[in-house]
Amino acid sequence: MPELTRLDAGHAPAVLAFEIENRDYFAASVPERGDGYFERFAERFDALLAEQEAGVCAFHVLLDGDGTVLGRFNLVDIEDGAAELGYRVARRVAGRGVATATVLELCRLAAARYGLHTLRAATVHRNAASRRVLVKAGFVPAGPADPAHLGGEPGTWYARDLVHREQNGPS
């Protein structure tokens, strides 16, 4: 059974393997990170851990029983009870409900563990799978996203009120 766990330094090799293995798959639906991401991976990973330690972000990995990363699920720019959700799942588990189930789990954690009341997520228009995940997880369109935020591509912001959802039961 996959387990969602908070990112720690020990996850670095598995996260890098996940990103390399799925690089082409991700590039088909989201802006490509480029070679620089991989060349400076260790430095970037350490920066993520520092942001998490500072309470600005909360990074999570979805791990298979053998420690393989199946997905990354992140809460970034945590401020005033709100955060931005970002996620990606491995090609081998895509289309099986893994992303939706894990986004729902992270919504519960966001409210219970991190005290958040609102999440928002942006997705590029060409990423139909991500839009489906957000809608199934109770997010609603909240307006256009600045292409500068999405690697130069047009997209849409989605939002979810966690407090209202939790008080009135799951969707």
Side-chain angles (χ1 to χ4, degrees):
M1 187 71 169
E3 177 186 2
L4 185 66
T5 187
R6 195 164 160 106
L7 187 70
D8 67 40
H11 294 127
V15 170
L16 179 57
F18 165 81
E19 292 292 346
I20 290 170
E21 180 181 325
N22 292 284
R23 184 177 183 179
D24 292 338
Y25 172 67
F26 295 146
S29 58
V30 296
E32 222 286 307
R33 289 185 162 160
D35 293 337
Y37 173 84
F38 297 95
E39 292 165 0
R40 293 186 303 279
F41 179 81
E43 179 183 321
R44 289 175 177 265
F45 193 86
D46 289 345
L48 293 178
L49 293 176
E51 285 183 277
Q52 182 168 263
E53 184 68 27
V56 178
C57 301
F59 301 106
H60 301 81
V61 287
L62 183 66
L63 300 175
D64 207 353
D66 65 0
T68 302
V69 174
L70 299 175
R72 297 178 68 181
F73 296 83
N74 305 318
L75 300 171
V76 299
D77 297 334
I78 297 172
E79 187 176 7
D80 297 328
E84 183 178 333
L85 167 70
Y87 58 91
R88 51 181 50 201
V89 296
R91 176 191 328 239
R92 70 183 179 103
V93 297
R96 298 182 185 173
V98 171
T100 302
T102 310
V103 166
L104 285 166
E105 183 178 348
L106 191 57
C107 286
R108 286 187 288 277
L109 278 174
R113 183 180 296 168
Y114 304 114
L116 301 178
H117 54 75
T118 304
L119 291 182
R120 63 187 200 133
T123 185
V124 296
H125 290 162
R126 67 182 167 103
N127 193 343
S130 186
R131 290 193 317 268
R132 280 192 304 274
V133 166
L134 291 171
V135 169
K136 285 181 179 180
F139 286 75
V140 296
D146 183 347
H149 187 78
L150 296 170
E153 295 190 43
T156 302
W157 279 108
Y158 288 78
R160 178 172 167 177
D161 178 352
L162 301 174
V163 176
H164 183 260
R165 290 257 181 206
E166 294 305 314
Q167 290 173 348
N168 293 309
S171 55

